[in-house]
Amino acid sequence: MKFFFFHLMAWQDLPSDFEKKYDSAWIWAPNTLFDPEKGGRLYNEYIDTLVYADELGFDGVCVNEHHQNAYGLMPSPNLIASILARQTRNVKIAVIGNALPLYNPPTRVAEEFAMLDCISGGRLIAGFVVGGGPEYYSYGINPTHAREMFREAHDLIIRAWTEPGPFRYFSKHYHLNYVNPWPRPIQQPHPQIWIPGVGSIETMEFVAKRRYAYMGIPYFHIDVFKRTFDTFRDCCNREGYEPDPEQMGWIVPVHVAETDEQARKEFEPALWYFAKKLLLGITISPPGYTSVKSALAIDKNRGKFLHSIETWDEIEKGVYAIVGSPATVRDKLSYYQKHLGVGNILTSPQIGTLPHEIARRSMKMFAEEVMPYVRQA
Amino acid sequence: MLDKLKSIQYALKVKWYEATLDRLRVVDINGRKVQLMEGGEGEPLLYLHSAYGENLWMPFHQKLSEKYRVIAPAHPGFAQTEGIEDIDSMEDMIFHYLDLMDYLGLKEVNIAGVSLGGWIAAEFATRYPDRVHRLALAAPVGLWMDEHPVTDLFALLLNIEKLRATNFHDPESALARMLVPDEADDDMKAEAYKGMAATARLAWNPFCHNPKLARRLKRIKSPTLILWGDDDKLVPTAYAEEWARHIKDSRVVKISECGHLMMFEKEDEFVRSLTDFFG
């Protein structure tokens, strides 16, 4: 059982009427709403919080990549990860991930991840993603090529890490006569690979086949997660093996305080800011980004997405977040971790507008009063 | 009232489906399945549809077929036409239509293209000017003017009301509400998604244009009609003159109180403009 601390690095100062004035926190939400001075302070505090997770004994920290949005301020998670590689000692550093079709050539990912692995002494977890729908609007990459580019870029990176260079790599989208990245990663044959997904069968088959780890993307009803991990296990079975629980990760917002009431009081406003403002537009899906079947399925699941939820009761019942006293949180977490059969819990304790001090107090209580219990359970 | 409207809409659609059944075939062109609708007699008229994907036999098809042999293929990725995974650029699309014309034995043909279809028709005519007899371009995309940006149709998909307002002069009309409904059924949603994905293949980046097209347009030899709605909120009407400036033997006709999807909104004027032009 492993615990990861996942930081999204949200912009905390959207105006209170944001969702009335704008239709998205992504792509075209005006960047004049970003104040660079405040942004600088925020980055430093967020990085301190990630470093604190190392001191508290989390197994790892996670960062991810998003562009042109208020939801997550890391267009380059590799920059943050490189600071963490120096400022932390023990944690795994999971970059989940780099959006491969946005890197041309994708050799760049092989290079930067290898740098991170070298600097951190082999602590990198390499995450590969297709990138969210909004990214394709922001970067002008043709969404109808997304899956193809992802697969080709993936193959290139794995070969770059495992085959002696130089070699030639010609695919539909990439034509490189000399692939020969210096440096190479410490971890052999290559760093562990994690792939986050929202439940598309194509992604699960891709992950199962290569024995990578599948991370369930959050903000859906617990039933959606259950179905997702069951399907992933089926995919592994079809490949002829039973997946290790650590091949699966569940991303879930968690908040701990002295009492259930106190925890809810602290966390609820931050969660609604997150759900109603920051998630606005996250599901924008350009044409051809998924198969027709997946597009219709996503359309059907929309009602189970956190952005559409209106009451705290639904949050609790759907397990969109786990919030309460240490006893409540460890009971729920143990129960649902077994229910889902996952070996990694990726908590995201600082969501939305949650103040740094409160986030840090919650993390400390989580590390001291929840983690040891859930590890044993 | 709403129920009544819905039942009328439903009856209309059933009528279109029925009309389509008699005129539809799926043929194999160089290993690619292609859906074709064909109706009427006379000079062949190749109709290249818009990104909307008008691949049912609709009243404007019918009216045109009273004078011409209308041939209306679905582009790859639309309706039952396959092979979009091999279409990465306009170049691939032009080869597709070259194959289709050879398959149908069309040596020199009249072509009418709307919006995306107009762009394809114009690109075809720059490469194979001898294969085009007369050319009608109805509100084509394909050119770009910074001062008159084409509305981002890929962003409109999120907002049905905006989508309707951008495509029609009168978005509140029963016709507009039927063609772009607030709540589409799964089949319609799937078909629309597929069509937009096929459009994105050609029009995502560069967005809805080919930077090299303008200076190639002088290669078009055929008399060319440039047809535009005077209230086109998707592809601004200002583009009409821009196309005319580049194509030697061209004339501009504008349809009043008409949005982008003129073959629906101003069906009679659309058909009359084409028959006046093609003769």
Side-chain angles (χ1 to χ4, degrees), chain A residues 23 28 136-137 140-145 172 284-292 295-296 299-300, chain B residues 85 87-88 152 154-155 157-159 162 186 189-190 193-194 196-198 200-205:
Chain A
D23 64 355
W28 46 70
Y136 286 80
Y137 290 87
I141 307 289
N142 194 316
T144 71
H145 294 153
K172 181 171 162 188
I284 292 174
S285 177
Y289 169 73
T290 61
S291 65
V292 176
L296 290 178
D299 202 47
K300 285 217 159 62
Chain B
E85 60 282 358
I87 307 266
D88 295 314
D152 185 0
F154 300 119
L157 304 175
L158 315 169
N159 186 333
K162 249 197 216 168
D186 273 4
K189 269 189 202 161
Y193 186 80
K194 223 155 65 83
M196 287 316 291
R201 224 48 205 180
L202 299 174
W204 187 269
N205 184 356

Side-chain angles (χ1 to χ4, degrees), chain A residues 53-213:
Chain A
D54 184 42
E55 292 165 25
L56 288 173
F58 278 81
D59 298 291
V61 289
C62 308
V63 290
N64 70 345
E65 172 175 341
H66 285 302
H67 299 268
Q68 299 193 177
N69 74 99
Y71 163 97
L73 300 176
M74 280 181 284
S76 172
N78 301 0
L79 288 181
I80 305 293
S82 73
I83 297 170
L84 297 173
R86 291 278 302 168
Q87 293 208 317
T88 63
R89 287 288 160 262
N90 301 308
V91 277
K92 288 272 188 185
I93 299 166
V95 182
I96 49 173
N98 280 180
L100 302 189
L102 275 48
Y103 295 77
N104 196 356
T107 317
R108 183 88 191 178
V109 175
E111 290 169 338
E112 291 190 6
F113 275 177
M115 286 173 75
L116 287 169
D117 203 45
C118 286
I119 297 169
S120 67
R123 289 187 286 132
L124 178 77
I125 292 173
F128 300 150
V129 292
V130 173
E135 260 83 63
Y136 286 80
Y137 290 87
S138 296
Y139 262 44
I141 307 289
N142 194 316
T144 71
H145 294 153
R147 312 281 152 177
E148 208 170 53
M149 291 173 88
F150 176 81
R151 283 191 163 76
E152 291 179 14
H154 161 271
D155 293 351
L156 166 64
I157 294 163
I158 298 300
R159 283 187 58 189
W161 283 343
T162 54
E163 272 181 41
F167 63 86
R168 177 176 293 124
Y169 186 82
F170 285 1
S171 64
K172 181 171 162 188
H173 296 280
Y174 307 108
H175 299 89
L176 300 160
N177 255 329
Y178 306 101
V179 181
N180 188 32
W182 292 60
R184 295 186 298 115
I186 287 180
Q187 297 180 79
Q188 289 298 317
H190 56 71
Q192 197 186 346
I193 290 167
W194 283 11
I195 311 268
V198 280
S200 98
I201 184 91
E202 294 91 346
T203 305
M204 286 192 246
E205 282 169 350
F206 179 90
V207 175
K209 191 175 171 168
R210 291 163 180 81
R211 301 194 179 221
Y212 298 160

Side-chain angles (χ1 to χ4, degrees), chain B residues 79-91:
Chain B
Q80 297 176 75
T81 302
E82 296 176 348
I84 187 63
E85 60 282 358
D86 298 320
I87 307 266
D88 295 314
S89 64
M90 193 48 90
E91 193 68 19

Side-chain angles (χ1 to χ4, degrees), chain B residues 30-232:
Chain B
N30 275 354
R32 180 178 289 164
K33 284 199 166 42
V34 177
Q35 173 180 312
L36 288 171
M37 291 189 297
E38 206 173 327
E41 283 165 28
E43 280 291 299
L45 172 62
L46 183 63
Y47 176 81
L48 300 183
H49 67 78
S50 74
Y52 181 87
E54 56 279 22
N55 287 305
L56 290 178
W57 192 259
M58 292 171 79
F60 76 87
H61 292 102
Q62 179 57 32
K63 286 177 185 168
L64 285 169
S65 76
E66 283 156 19
K67 222 169 160 189
Y68 311 106
R69 175 186 160 212
V70 175
I71 304 163
H75 305 314
F78 285 83
Q80 297 176 75
T81 302
E82 296 176 348
I84 187 63
E85 60 282 358
D86 298 320
I87 307 266
D88 295 314
S89 64
M90 193 48 90
E91 193 68 19
D92 296 326
M93 191 61 107
I94 299 314
F95 274 107
H96 170 77
Y97 277 107
L98 197 59
D99 288 345
L100 181 134
M101 281 179 62
D102 288 348
Y103 174 88
L104 293 171
L106 301 170
K107 292 265 178 311
E108 192 187 350
V109 69
N110 288 332
I111 304 181
V114 181
S115 193
L116 172 69
W119 182 13
I120 296 170
E123 294 266 7
F124 185 87
T126 60
R127 288 166 176 79
Y128 303 99
D130 299 332
R131 306 283 306 256
V132 184
H133 186 234
R134 292 172 86 80
L135 177 66
L137 306 174
V141 288
L143 295 181
W144 189 262
M145 292 188 285
D146 281 337
E147 61 280 27
H148 299 289
V150 174
T151 306
D152 185 0
L153 71 158
F154 300 119
L156 287 176
L157 304 175
L158 315 169
N159 186 333
I160 295 293
E161 235 168 86
K162 249 197 216 168
L163 180 67
R164 204 161 41 224
T166 310
N167 274 291
F168 292 91
H169 167 70
D170 178 10
E172 295 311 314
S173 69
L175 185 78
R177 288 187 166 277
M178 172 173 58
L179 292 165
V180 183
D182 288 326
E183 276 299 326
D185 57 37
D186 273 4
D187 284 349
M188 195 174 180
K189 269 189 202 161
E191 189 50 39
Y193 186 80
K194 223 155 65 83
M196 287 316 291
T199 304
R201 224 48 205 180
L202 299 174
W204 187 269
N205 184 356
F207 172 64
C208 279
H209 75 293
N210 172 0
K212 297 194 170 164
L213 179 60
R215 67 165 185 249
R216 291 176 180 169
L217 287 177
K218 65 174 182 298
R219 291 178 46 80
I220 295 179
K221 291 179 183 169
S222 32
T224 301
L225 170 70
I226 292 152
L227 192 57
W228 231 284
D230 69 347
D231 186 29
D232 192 329

Side-chain angles (χ1 to χ4, degrees), chain A residues 214-284:
Chain A
Y214 184 84
M215 299 297 127
I217 290 184
Y219 324 131
F220 282 103
H221 192 282
I222 190 77
D223 292 349
V224 176
F225 276 111
K226 176 70 179 149
R227 221 169 34 235
T228 298
F229 291 119
D230 286 349
T231 310
F232 179 70
R233 272 184 288 268
D234 289 344
C235 291
C236 295
N237 291 340
R238 277 202 297 280
E239 292 293 330
Y241 70 97
E242 198 58 45
D244 188 297
E246 293 204 3
Q247 233 181 303
M248 285 166 280
W250 171 38
I251 308 174
V252 60
V254 172
H255 185 69
V256 193
E258 285 73 14
T259 65
D260 288 351
E261 295 72 36
Q262 178 70 16
R264 176 178 168 181
K265 200 175 141 211
E266 289 169 357
F267 198 69
E268 192 174 356
L271 186 72
W272 290 128
Y273 174 93
F274 177 80
K276 296 300 170 190
K277 291 178 169 59
L278 300 180
L279 289 183
L280 187 63
I282 195 173
T283 55
I284 292 174

